[in-house]
Amino acid sequence: MITGHKPISYRCPIVLFAVVLAILLCLAGCASDAEKLAKHLKRAEALVAQQRYNEALIEYKNASQLDPENDNIHFQLGEIYLRLQNFESATRSFGQAINLNENNLAAHYKIGQIFLAADRPMDARRAAKFIIENAPDNIDAYLLLAGVQVKETNLSAAIQTLQQAVAINPGSIRVWLFLGQLFTQKKNFKEAENAYLQVISINAARPEPYTRLIRLYGQNGRWEQAAACATKMKAAKQLDVQVLIDLARFCEANQQWHLAETIYSKATTSTTGTDTLAYLELGNFYARRHLFDQALDTMKAALRVNSKDPDILANMGRMYLDVGDREAARDVIERALLQNFDHQLANYLQGEIYYLDREYAQAIKKFELSIQKDENNFRPYYYKALSVIRLGERGQSRADLSRAAAGLLDDAGAWVEKIAESDLLKAIELNPKLLQAKLVLAELYLRQQKIGQAREQIEAALKQRPGDLKVLSLEGSLKISQRNFKGAEALCKSVLAQNPNLSDWHARLGLVYRLMRRPDDARKAFERALALNPLQFEALQAIIDMHLQDRQFAQALDRCEAHKSKISNNNALAVIENMQGGIYGAWNKPQKARPYFEKAIAVNPDFITARMNLAWIEMLEDKYLQAVAQYETVLQINPRYLPAVMALGSLHASRKEKQLAVKYFRRALDIKIGYGPAANNLAFLLSSDANSLREALDLAQLAYKKIPDDPIVKDTLGWIYYQIGDYYKALPLLEASLKMNPDSALTNYHIGLTYYREKQFAKAREHLKRALELDPDFDEADDIRAMLDE
């Protein structure tokens, strides 16, 4: 061992190694964070390019955690939030970018745009001014400031700001387009035109200046220049289809048909992929112009682009209906509904087809579905109302409105459900110019004798179309309803002075004279109507009615015979034969009436009125099977003919064939919901069954609500109250019925039983005896005798 020397120490190298290792680990950690940051940013950029913004948002958030002081990352977060329309978060992110770097001018611009859109012009102005102060050549800042000035309604200042921008960069298309827009608003059309022409000189492929110039020229009536501009527009690229459609509509609204067609066509050539909107617009343009061949050709071209487009198929259906090709319309509408069973237009059009096919119940369902999808479309309301009306009309002869208004027909308003009025009013509310709805509603009110409401609709129609004969006809009916016969006469003469050969107006004048008790003038008017139009059977019937009123049966027959010589149409001759049969019926000579009804049927086998009259003859002669056969034949011709259904129900009821009678009265209620006579008859039949009393009561109450002044209806309801033991309600109804119809054996029987239950025995015996006196063979005669000890 050598003394004076220390052994070699390893502590120092060990410590040095630890320090170096720590430094290396730290450097390795820093390198890892930088790599992670780069990866997040790279993935975020890729996701943005793929428009996967929610995933990109996560990547930028991760990046911001790794580098929270990086203003650019916060800026990119703001951009993502903008794309996701999360404006509050976007504002925070852009604000954070500015806090980290006050000179991040892009963040100032973006936050300024947000403030402008959020109606915070003062904050947007600060952002624009800051950018201009720090970057006087920043065109975006001038555009932002001009936007603020427009918001502040200072167009002149905005124009000056944009002119400063033009001085900085004369080639800025965005500035020139904005200037053109502002000059247009200021009605400085020359400067606006120059601005748009400047854009074209910079870039002839830019689409906006062409579309704006065409509109500008059109607003100033310079349509030749507009057309020339449309021709030059072919050089433009990437034309916006919706902008072109709006422009074409503008031209169409100004009746520039050729220019509109050119622009609609340009829109179809600018269409990409399977989008058929432009074809749809062009096709509908042709349809509005009644150029249906071109319209259908355009729609077929659209189907080559997208064969399953329900909008195209439905619109084709509408066009086929417009040209009267119902089968073709049916086919394409069904194809549209296969693609979208909820399609509003397809369902509406299918409703129209059902309406045309007279399948009114089905039509109503479709119109209701269409209303659910678009409650602001007047058409389904209107056609639903018509369908309800037609459904109510079925089975009833719709006589001339003026006769109903004059009170010559019973139950003038019973043919329309309340819902029709509601839907017509809604249709008019949605389209105040819908004349037809006003006319139908006026007819409805006249039939219901709602004079005030009818006058309101007729006056509105007269303002809209003062010379329309249909409107004037309703005005005449209104005057008749008000018993203003002199006014009605003056109206008829006024119309005939302008149109002397209108046979229906001569017939109307005849009706007015008849109501004024001027028979000679009435006959002259009716004869004039027939001279102008031998098929004006309303006039002939009026002449016959006047003869019958005077019991001039032979003269009525002779008048019919004389008229036959002027008729060559077999169906028309059948009408006269039926009239002659009716004359013999009124003459109480049914046997002589029969041959005329039979001849009318032979000439026209589908003549329902003649078959009903012949069935009446069969009933008079107790030929039950023959009468049933006639009624059933009527129902083969028209399954919903209500008088035949009611007649069969009554016929079966009279023969104690309850099940058949119930069947037909139920059928009548299916045809016409709430029909009082059917409800009453069915209630009476059901009242004999204790298990059906609840339904019978409901039906009897319905009938009473519909026809409260009918003694038979009062009797039915009173009788059912008796059967359920409510004598307090039964008695006043039966007393009212008996007062109106004292010679009814049935009502005397019913009130006798009610008095008996009320222990008014003397009155009970009085009415029960009266029932026997009136009809000794009364169905319940034996029961009555047992109660009377007879």
Side-chain angles (χ1 to χ4, degrees):
M1 156 180 281
I2 299 174
T3 60
H5 292 276
K6 292 182 179 179
I8 298 173
S9 173
Y10 291 94
R11 171 175 287 188
C12 210
I14 291 172
V15 171
L16 181 60
F17 177 77
V19 171
V20 171
L21 181 62
I23 292 171
L24 289 172
L25 288 172
C26 181
L27 290 172
C30 291
S32 177
D33 282 349
E35 289 173 2
K36 287 180 182 177
L37 179 62
K39 286 180 180 178
H40 284 306
L41 292 175
K42 185 176 181 180
R43 280 199 295 265
E45 290 174 5
L47 290 167
V48 169
Q50 298 169 33
Q51 298 184 1
R52 295 159 64 182
Y53 300 124
N54 283 308
E55 297 168 70
L57 183 65
I58 295 170
E59 296 296 337
Y60 277 125
K61 282 183 175 179
N62 289 333
S64 71
Q65 289 176 357
L66 291 168
D67 190 2
E69 302 300 313
N70 189 323
D71 64 298
N72 186 57
I73 292 175
H74 288 284
F75 178 82
Q76 295 300 333
L77 271 170
E79 289 276 58
I80 295 297
Y81 281 126
L82 275 184
R83 288 187 169 93
L84 294 172
Q85 296 189 347
N86 185 342
F87 303 113
E88 185 176 347
S89 295
T91 304
R92 281 199 299 267
S93 293
F94 291 131
Q96 184 64 17
I98 293 169
N99 289 335
L100 293 167
N101 178 8
E102 188 182 20
N103 292 318
N104 190 329
L105 300 184
H108 282 283
Y109 176 68
K110 289 291 184 179
I111 206 167
Q113 284 187 311
I114 293 174
F115 287 146
L116 184 60
D119 202 20
R120 293 170 59 181
M122 186 175 292
D123 293 326
R125 174 183 279 277
R126 282 198 203 97
K129 287 287 190 179
F130 181 87
I131 299 170
I132 291 172
E133 287 170 5
N134 288 275
D137 293 343
N138 189 309
I139 297 300
D140 285 341
Y142 289 96
L143 287 165
L144 178 59
L145 180 58
V148 171
Q149 291 162 333
V150 169
K151 181 74 76 173
E152 295 169 346
T153 66
N154 192 347
L155 298 186
S156 297
I159 289 171
Q160 288 177 1
T161 298
L162 293 174
Q163 287 172 334
Q164 290 175 32
V166 165
I168 295 166
N169 182 3
S172 175
I173 288 176
R174 288 188 300 153
V175 174
W176 283 113
L177 287 172
F178 201 168
L179 269 172
Q181 180 182 336
L182 294 182
F183 281 130
T184 302
Q185 286 182 257
K186 293 275 287 182
K187 300 191 184 304
N188 189 338
F189 300 120
K190 182 63 179 175
E191 292 296 335
E193 178 186 14
N194 289 337
Y196 294 136
L197 290 173
Q198 188 68 32
V199 175
I200 293 172
S201 70
I202 296 167
N203 183 357
R206 188 80 181 218
E208 297 96 322
Y210 297 101
T211 57
R212 294 187 186 184
L213 271 173
I214 292 169
R215 190 178 290 273
L216 184 70
Y217 289 140
Q219 288 171 342
N220 288 274
R222 296 160 63 184
W223 290 106
E224 288 185 10
Q225 288 170 282
C229 188
T231 302
K232 293 177 183 177
M233 187 170 60
K234 293 176 182 178
K237 304 296 182 186
Q238 297 178 336
L239 285 160
D240 184 284
V241 170
Q242 188 58 59
V243 170
L244 289 172
I245 288 171
D246 291 341
L247 183 59
R249 287 174 180 165
F250 167 75
C251 296
E252 184 182 354
N254 284 277
Q255 300 183 4
Q256 298 299 313
W257 315 121
H258 180 70
L259 184 54
E261 180 183 6
T262 298
I263 298 172
Y264 279 127
S265 299
K266 181 65 177 175
T268 64
T269 61
S270 299
T271 293
T272 57
T274 59
D275 185 13
T276 57
L277 176 62
Y279 290 95
L280 181 62
E281 292 289 338
L282 178 59
N284 284 329
F285 165 74
Y286 285 133
R288 289 190 290 272
R289 299 285 295 139
H290 301 288
L291 302 170
F292 293 110
D293 289 341
Q294 292 96 315
L296 288 168
D297 286 344
T298 303
M299 293 304 189
K300 289 171 184 175
L303 288 179
R304 289 193 287 273
V305 174
N306 183 356
S307 62
K308 296 182 179 180
D309 188 328
D311 290 334
I312 296 297
L313 291 165
N315 277 273
M316 282 185 75
R318 183 176 61 188
M319 291 170 191
Y320 279 126
L321 281 176
D322 287 340
V323 298
D325 192 343
R326 201 181 306 175
E327 289 309 310
R330 199 190 313 274
D331 174 62
V332 291
I333 290 167
E334 287 174 357
R335 285 165 58 192
L337 289 171
L338 281 175
Q339 300 303 318
N340 179 3
F341 71 93
D342 253 357
H343 197 276
Q344 191 272 338
L345 178 59
N347 277 291
Y348 164 74
L349 291 171
Q350 194 169 60
E352 267 201 31
I353 290 174
Y354 281 132
Y355 176 79
L356 293 170
D357 290 342
R358 300 184 181 181
E359 296 180 27
Y360 300 122
Q362 292 284 69
I364 290 169
K365 291 177 184 176
K366 285 294 179 179
F367 293 136
E368 286 176 342
L369 182 59
S370 181
I371 288 167
Q372 288 174 13
K373 297 299 172 187
D374 182 6
E375 61 183 18
N376 294 317
N377 185 349
F378 72 90
R379 296 181 189 280
Y381 289 101
Y382 174 62
Y383 278 103
K384 181 189 167 193
L386 291 187
S387 298
V388 169
I389 290 169
R390 299 292 180 261
L391 199 57
E393 274 184 325
R394 273 182 164 169
Q396 301 175 40
S397 58
R398 186 180 179 188
D400 180 71
L401 178 61
S402 55
R403 295 182 69 214
L408 300 181
L409 299 176
D410 295 330
D411 197 18
W415 58 286
V416 173
E417 297 295 331
K418 181 67 176 176
I419 192 65
E421 176 187 0
S422 172
D423 285 327
L424 288 168
L425 287 170
K426 185 64 176 179
I428 294 168
E429 176 191 334
L430 293 170
N431 182 1
K433 294 183 179 180
L434 188 58
L435 180 66
Q436 286 304 314
K438 294 173 187 174
L439 300 185
V440 174
L441 189 56
E443 287 186 11
L444 169 63
Y445 286 142
L446 284 171
R447 288 178 180 275
Q448 295 175 338
Q449 292 295 294
K450 294 180 179 179
I451 303 304
Q453 292 98 315
R455 183 189 303 111
E456 181 181 351
Q457 295 302 324
I458 292 167
E459 287 176 354
L462 282 168
K463 287 179 182 177
Q464 189 172 339
R465 198 173 297 176
D468 187 280
L469 290 177
K470 178 62 176 175
V471 179
L472 293 173
S473 173
L474 287 170
E475 185 187 11
S477 295
L478 177 65
K479 291 181 184 299
I480 291 172
S481 295
Q482 296 171 310
R483 315 300 289 178
N484 180 7
F485 301 134
K486 286 189 177 296
E489 177 190 11
L491 178 63
C492 290
K493 286 183 174 180
S494 173
V495 171
L496 290 170
Q498 300 294 321
N499 308 274
N501 294 326
L502 292 176
S503 64
D504 55 327
W505 278 87
H506 284 285
R508 178 178 287 272
L509 180 59
L511 169 66
V512 173
Y513 283 139
R514 190 177 171 194
L515 291 168
M516 295 174 78
R517 297 182 181 178
R518 293 164 58 180
D520 292 340
D521 289 331
R523 282 193 176 89
K524 287 178 184 176
F526 291 136
E527 292 290 0
R528 178 61 179 157
L530 285 170
L532 289 167
N533 179 12
L535 298 180
Q536 181 59 261
F537 288 124
E538 182 185 347
L540 180 60
Q541 184 63 62
I543 293 170
I544 300 306
D545 289 344
M546 293 175 72
H547 283 306
L548 296 182
Q549 187 177 350
D550 295 335
R551 301 193 63 77
Q552 297 173 343
F553 302 111
Q555 291 92 322
L557 289 167
D558 290 343
R559 185 63 190 83
C560 285
E561 283 296 329
H563 198 65
K564 283 182 182 179
S565 63
K566 300 176 182 178
I567 302 294
S568 57
N569 180 281
N570 282 340
N571 287 345
L573 286 169
V575 172
I576 299 177
E577 298 286 351
N578 182 68
M579 281 185 183
Q580 289 179 290
I583 293 168
Y584 275 116
W587 203 351
N588 199 22
K589 296 183 178 183
Q591 280 302 318
K592 288 193 174 183
R594 173 188 284 277
Y596 288 97
F597 295 141
E598 290 175 338
K599 188 173 181 181
I601 293 168
V603 171
N604 181 4
D606 292 339
F607 194 178
I608 285 178
T609 306
R611 287 193 179 277
M612 293 294 291
N613 287 333
L614 183 56
W616 168 69
I617 299 292
E618 306 290 12
M619 292 284 289
L620 288 177
E621 296 177 358
D622 293 326
K623 294 179 179 178
Y624 161 74
L625 293 177
Q626 291 90 326
V628 168
Q630 286 298 334
Y631 290 132
E632 292 290 0
T633 302
V634 168
L635 292 180
Q636 289 173 16
I637 299 167
N638 182 355
R640 299 180 65 85
Y641 191 67
L642 189 59
V645 175
M646 288 295 293
L648 281 165
S650 299
L651 193 155
H652 288 300
S654 70
R655 293 178 60 84
K656 309 293 189 255
E657 295 167 350
K658 179 181 173 181
Q659 287 186 335
L660 285 171
V662 166
K663 167 189 163 185
Y664 281 105
F665 289 133
R666 288 195 188 281
R667 184 171 171 180
L669 287 170
D670 286 338
I671 293 170
K672 186 172 183 181
I673 298 169
Y675 186 48
N680 175 78
N681 295 354
L682 183 57
F684 187 76
L685 288 170
L686 294 177
S687 69
S688 62
D689 182 356
N691 295 324
S692 300
L693 274 176
R694 180 68 256 177
E695 183 185 2
L697 179 60
D698 290 342
L699 287 164
Q701 288 171 334
L702 170 63
Y704 185 65
K705 182 179 179 181
K706 292 287 184 179
I707 37 179
D709 296 328
D710 189 306
I712 295 174
V713 170
K714 292 177 187 291
D715 175 79
T716 299
L717 182 56
W719 176 236
I720 293 173
Y721 278 132
Y722 167 85
Q723 289 179 290
I724 63 177
D726 194 343
Y727 310 125
Y728 178 78
K729 288 183 179 177
L731 199 55
L733 285 164
L734 293 170
E735 287 174 339
S737 175
L738 193 66
K739 185 176 181 180
M740 298 172 72
N741 190 11
D743 294 333
S744 168
L746 186 63
T747 304
N748 274 283
Y749 171 63
H750 289 163
I751 200 170
L753 292 181
T754 307
Y755 279 134
Y756 189 90
R757 292 292 185 182
E758 288 285 277
K759 296 185 171 31
Q760 298 184 44
F761 300 116
K763 285 187 175 181
R765 283 192 294 271
E766 174 189 344
H767 287 289
L768 292 172
K769 285 181 180 179
R770 179 61 178 158
L772 283 178
E773 290 171 2
L774 290 167
D775 187 358
D777 298 324
F778 183 52
D779 287 345
E780 286 78 11
D782 290 341
D783 293 339
I784 294 174
R785 291 187 181 97
M787 292 180 68
L788 294 174
D789 298 322
E790 294 182 9

